[in-house]
């Protein structure tokens, strides 16, 4: 009998251990979450969890009030009640959209504000153009990525336009840790969703060419959680710093100029000076070469209160800065300076000086040094970046830098050289030497500076600054007709 009991106990322990191992190996969250995916049933609330409900309610109310603060000022023309319809799972083979039904805000216990939040003075602003109806019959749903709170998906609308959808990540850390702490899935969803709602409000209030466009939003039901929020935004490409370092200086400068314009806008926004507490390349995207901020749920408008400058220490991993405390009891310019130093350490120091035109490097070095020391604010930084753009676009940076060539070039109109490429860095094309030039004299200078160059082909394509793209060639044994290009070959005794 004792042996039988021991065998049963050993078998039970082995089964429990095997189940634990399988649970670890096949835990949910290893696959990209689908829109509408549920994290599973909430743990049964015990006495400790019931006591923590008040803390959860306090956090939800704090985020709700933050959204209301950012929304104040009155809605724009045409604002109305957000369209609320059921957007079901967008994964291939999903059940599709159901019939529209009216939704009501449902109050939580302990006085937590209802959800969805009722619009009015605290609405996100002008009514977005796209709602749930625009998401019928979408195609090509793809998981893009996720962060602490949100998951992002790419879909194609019936008209062919690609957009991004953002929703609370049901497998994410934010929602999961809340459910483990409080055991209330609906309440935890509302806590996380207020970050998405805050981002939606800020995208609307901070509209700017370097802020991602908000196209619309939709409320959906997700299993046992009603009225989950999905935002519809402009689609951008992730910022990959390693790839950016391999691009032309002109494109890298455009990113830095975009960032300077964005920081100037944030410092003088309708809401006040806005700081990005989570300032990393992954919070930005590229849209047609322009840098745009996409993640605003960790943005903050309020300046830091202080009684002396000892309360105004701006801390970074490499160094700290002490800012003055104003007579009104606020750290002067802390939001602006935090953004500016982060722009220096994540973008300017890597993208601005390298492979820049030699005559522009002293000015670019001064921009990098001044932002690294915080001796300039965003206004002066943007002024100097715009000055670089003017010098580059107008060709003034070439004064006293071009030399008269001893080699003469023969002009062959309506022609190109299909082969005989060589590589140079940085080039617009990885398999050849494709650079932008201001004029013909600069193209000759570039060819003279490359030992391999024996000819170049001027195209009719231009960059964002209006400069012409030119292919530089190692030879010209084969010249073929092309009405959109002009070829110049080294030919002593023949003038350009």
């Amino acid at each position: 009998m004792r042996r039988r009991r021991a065998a049963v106990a050993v078998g039970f322990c082995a089964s429990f251990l095997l189940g634990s191992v399988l649970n670890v190996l096949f835990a949910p969250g290893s696959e990209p979450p689908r829109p509408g995916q549920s994290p599973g049933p909430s743990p049964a609330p015990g006495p400790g969890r019931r006591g923590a409900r008040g803390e959860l309610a306090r956090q939800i109310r704090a985020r709700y009030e933050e959204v209301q603060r950012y929304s104040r000022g009155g809605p724009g023309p045409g604002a109305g009640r957000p369209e609320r319809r059921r957007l079901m799972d967008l994964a291939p083979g999903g059940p599709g959209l159901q019939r529209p039904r009216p939704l009501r805000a449902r109050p939580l216990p302990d006085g937590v504000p209802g959800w969805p939040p009722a619009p009015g003075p605290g609405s996100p602003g002008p009514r977005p153009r796209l709602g749930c109806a625009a998401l019928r019959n979408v195609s090509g749903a793809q998981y893009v990525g996720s962060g602490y709170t949100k998951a992002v998906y790419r879909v194609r609308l019936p008209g062919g336009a690609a957009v991004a959808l953002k929703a609370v990540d049901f497998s994410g850390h934010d929602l999961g840790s809340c459910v483990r702490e409080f055991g209330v899935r609906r309440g935890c969803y509302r806590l996380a969703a207020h970050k998405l709602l805050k981002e939606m409000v800020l995208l609307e209030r901070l509209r700017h060419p370097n802020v991602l466009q908000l196209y619309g939003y939709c409320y959906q039901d997700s299993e046992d959680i009603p009225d989950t929020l999905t935002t519809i935004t402009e689609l951008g490409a992730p910022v990959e710093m390693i790839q950016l370092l391999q691009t032309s200086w002109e494109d890298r400068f455009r990113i830095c100029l975009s960032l300077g314009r964005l920081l100037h806008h944030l410092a003088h926004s309708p809401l006040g000076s806005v700081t990005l507490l989570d300032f990393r390349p992954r919070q930005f995207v590229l849209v047609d070469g322009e840098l745009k901020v996409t993640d605003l749920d960790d943005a903050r408008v309020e300046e830091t209160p202080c009684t002396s400058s000892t309360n105004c220490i701006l801390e970074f991993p490499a160094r700290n800065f002490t800012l003055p405390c104003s007579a009104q009891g606020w750290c002067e310019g802390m939001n602006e300076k935090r953004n500016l130093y982060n722009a220096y350490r994540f973008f300017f120091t890597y993208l601005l000086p390298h492979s820049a035109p030699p005559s522009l490097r002293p000015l670019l070095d001064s921009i990098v040094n001044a932002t690294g020391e915080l001796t300039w604010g965003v206004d002066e930084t943007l002024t100097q970046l715009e000055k670089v753009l003017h010098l580059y676009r107008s060709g003034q940076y070439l004064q006293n830098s071009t030399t008269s060539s001893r080699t003469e070039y023969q002009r062959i109109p309506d022609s190109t050289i299909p082969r005989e490429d060589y590589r140079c860095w940085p080039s617009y094309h990885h398999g050849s030497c494709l650079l932008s030039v201001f004029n013909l004299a600069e193209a000759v200078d570039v060819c003279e500076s490359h030992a391999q160059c024996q000819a170049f082909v001027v195209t009719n394509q231009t960059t964002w600054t209006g400069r012409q793209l030119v292919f530089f060639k190692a030879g010209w044994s084969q010249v073929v007709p092309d009405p959109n290009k002009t070829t110049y070959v080294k030919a002593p005794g023949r003038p350009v």
Side-chain angles (χ1 to χ4, degrees):
M1 190 67 176
R2 289 180 180 177
R3 291 181 180 178
R4 184 177 181 182
R5 288 178 181 175
V8 171
V10 169
F12 177 80
C13 293
S15 300
F16 180 79
L17 180 61
L18 179 61
S20 300
V21 171
L22 292 175
N23 205 23
V24 170
L25 290 177
F26 300 100
S30 58
E31 294 296 325
R34 297 182 296 107
Q37 180 178 338
S38 172
S42 301
R49 294 186 185 275
R50 294 192 191 99
R53 295 284 184 89
E55 172 60 21
L56 175 60
R58 186 195 66 77
Q59 293 183 23
I60 294 175
R61 177 165 290 279
R63 289 190 182 177
Y64 171 82
E65 292 173 351
E66 183 184 29
V67 171
Q68 293 299 305
R69 286 197 307 274
Y70 296 152
S71 303
R72 289 191 186 114
R81 189 169 187 81
E83 182 181 6
R84 297 172 184 170
R85 292 189 172 92
R86 183 185 180 95
L87 173 62
M88 297 300 290
D89 194 352
L90 293 175
L97 290 165
Q98 304 296 317
R99 292 179 56 190
R101 61 181 179 80
L103 299 176
R104 296 188 300 274
R106 300 171 177 82
L108 283 174
D110 306 317
V112 175
W115 180 269
S123 68
R127 184 187 183 96
R129 292 189 297 270
L130 297 181
C132 297
L135 296 175
R136 293 190 179 118
N137 302 318
V138 296
S139 60
Q142 294 179 341
Y143 170 77
V144 176
S146 58
Y148 189 82
T149 304
K150 303 184 295 290
V152 182
Y153 304 86
R154 171 196 173 113
V155 299
R156 192 168 294 279
L157 300 179
V163 298
L165 303 183
K166 287 187 179 183
V168 172
D169 185 359
F170 282 96
S171 300
H173 181 275
D174 204 358
L175 187 62
S177 61
C178 177
V179 170
R180 287 191 295 272
E181 181 176 1
F182 299 112
V184 186
R185 187 163 52 214
R186 288 193 184 185
C188 286
Y189 172 82
R190 295 179 189 182
L191 181 66
H194 272 92
K195 295 183 72 174
L196 184 60
L197 184 62
K198 170 188 171 181
E199 179 175 278
M200 184 173 75
V201 169
L202 289 177
L203 289 175
E204 188 66 30
R205 294 298 306 274
L206 299 175
R207 280 179 291 178
H208 183 267
N210 298 112
V211 175
L212 200 73
Q213 290 187 62
L214 174 69
Y215 290 153
Y217 54 89
C218 177
Y219 285 100
Q220 62 179 346
D221 281 357
S222 175
E223 297 184 11
D224 62 334
I225 302 181
D227 309 333
T228 61
L229 175 63
T230 300
T231 61
I232 312 165
T233 69
E234 187 176 19
L235 181 67
V239 174
E240 302 288 350
M241 293 301 294
I242 294 178
Q243 294 180 8
L244 290 181
L245 292 173
Q246 301 174 32
T247 61
S248 70
W249 175 84
E250 187 174 345
D251 285 347
R252 285 185 275 119
F253 172 72
R254 186 182 188 184
I255 291 172
C256 294
L257 179 63
S258 299
L259 186 54
R261 290 171 174 171
L262 170 65
L263 298 192
H264 182 269
H265 174 65
L266 294 180
H268 303 283
S269 82
L271 300 174
S273 181
V274 179
T275 190
L276 305 177
L277 296 178
D278 190 2
F279 195 118
R280 290 174 293 169
R282 63 178 296 176
Q283 313 303 113
F284 300 85
V285 294
L286 291 173
V287 180
D288 297 328
E290 286 281 333
L291 187 74
K292 299 194 177 193
V293 62
T294 177
D295 201 331
L296 290 173
D297 58 358
D298 287 316
R300 189 181 72 185
V301 174
E302 297 80 8
E303 292 281 10
T304 303
C306 61
T307 55
S308 69
S309 59
T310 58
N311 304 126
C312 301
I313 299 177
L314 199 53
E315 297 182 348
F316 295 98
R319 62 176 304 179
N320 299 335
F321 299 90
T322 301
L323 303 180
C325 180
S326 70
Q328 292 75 31
W330 300 100
C331 296
E332 290 186 3
M334 180 167 278
N335 284 354
E336 173 184 333
K337 294 296 180 71
R338 178 184 286 109
N339 287 343
L340 194 56
Y341 189 79
N342 278 325
Y344 156 79
R345 71 190 186 108
F346 286 115
F347 289 92
F348 293 168
T349 189
Y350 298 110
L351 304 182
L352 264 184
H354 307 297
S355 70
S359 60
L360 292 177
R361 285 175 190 166
L363 181 53
L364 295 170
D365 287 339
S366 67
I367 294 173
V368 173
N369 293 334
T371 54
E373 296 295 327
L374 291 184
T375 55
W376 290 351
V378 295
D379 293 353
E380 182 63 23
T381 301
L382 180 58
T383 298
Q384 297 302 318
L385 287 170
E386 296 285 2
K387 181 179 178 181
V388 173
L389 175 63
H390 172 72
L391 295 173
Y392 188 68
R393 177 177 275 167
S394 66
Q396 293 183 34
Y397 75 100
L398 291 172
Q399 293 178 0
N400 302 322
S401 63
T402 56
T403 59
S404 57
S405 172
R406 296 180 180 179
T407 305
E408 294 179 333
Y409 289 76
Q410 177 184 353
R411 181 177 182 269
I412 309 176
D414 301 325
S415 65
T416 188
I417 302 172
R419 297 183 181 86
E420 301 190 69
D421 291 304
Y422 66 91
R423 293 183 179 182
C424 64
W425 186 86
S427 172
Y428 284 92
H429 190 277
H430 293 299
S432 60
C433 186
L434 177 62
L435 304 175
S436 71
V437 300
F438 175 73
N439 56 19
L440 190 59
E442 185 178 13
V444 170
D445 277 356
V446 171
C447 190
E448 293 292 295
S449 66
H450 293 179
Q452 310 98 308
C453 184
Q454 297 297 316
F456 58 88
V457 178
V458 179
T459 73
N460 64 352
Q461 295 177 300
T462 58
T463 66
W464 66 278
T465 60
R467 294 162 58 87
Q468 282 188 289
L469 289 175
V470 176
F471 284 98
F472 294 88
K473 301 288 185 172
W476 51 283
S477 59
Q478 183 184 15
V479 179
V480 299
D482 190 324
N484 298 316
K485 298 181 176 68
T486 301
T487 299
Y488 293 84
V489 299
K490 287 185 177 181
R494 298 292 300 274
V496 174

